[in-house]
Amino acid sequence: MRARVSAGDDGELRVRTAQDFEGRIGPATLLWHRHNGQSGDMCSLHVAGTAIGSGTEWEFHPERIPGSSAADDGANDDWIADARARTERYLKRRGITPAPIDWAELAVLVPA
């Protein structure tokens, strides 16, 4: 569901949906993305956390960015390898050639 997200108090996010959302209180994810209509030019961010609210007014407490890890225990590498394999299978089944990715351009978006 499309929503407007703004900063709330104490690090939480205020999520306002255009129409009533019949979601459940508890674990949730937010996905932001922007693009110019071409899949190769899309930028996205996925955040996991907890949602509290009802109707069109929700509060989201971000907890982690899936796939990121403070510790280098190899779990991140496994997650990336699995995601790549699933993506390759998806594209192959549909006869889609993946768009080139400018990794240097994406790297500047990652906070130091």
Side-chain angles (χ1 to χ4, degrees):
M1 169 162 296
R2 291 180 185 260
R4 289 199 177 269
V5 179
S6 59
D9 300 325
D10 299 327
E12 81 270 0
L13 301 172
R14 296 195 59 172
V15 180
R16 292 188 176 111
T17 59
Q19 41 197 242
D20 280 351
F21 178 62
E22 298 300 324
R24 288 186 239 162
I25 293 173
T29 61
L30 290 178
L31 174 66
W32 286 272
H33 74 277
R34 68 172 188 234
H35 57 82
N36 66 357
Q38 303 296 315
S39 63
D41 289 332
M42 183 163 38
C43 180
S44 63
L45 173 65
H46 178 208
V47 179
T50 304
I52 300 168
S54 64
T56 61
E57 297 289 324
W58 290 79
E59 195 173 279
F60 182 81
H61 299 273
E63 296 163 5
R64 65 186 179 89
I65 297 174
S68 65
S69 172
D72 185 18
D73 60 3
N76 197 29
D77 294 337
D78 293 343
W79 181 84
I80 291 170
D82 179 59
R84 284 185 176 150
R86 285 184 287 118
T87 299
E88 288 174 16
R89 286 192 303 269
Y90 176 91
L91 295 173
K92 186 176 181 179
R93 279 194 308 266
R94 288 159 179 80
I96 299 171
T97 302
I101 298 171
D102 185 342
W103 292 108
E105 186 177 327
L106 289 175
V108 299
L109 301 174
V110 177

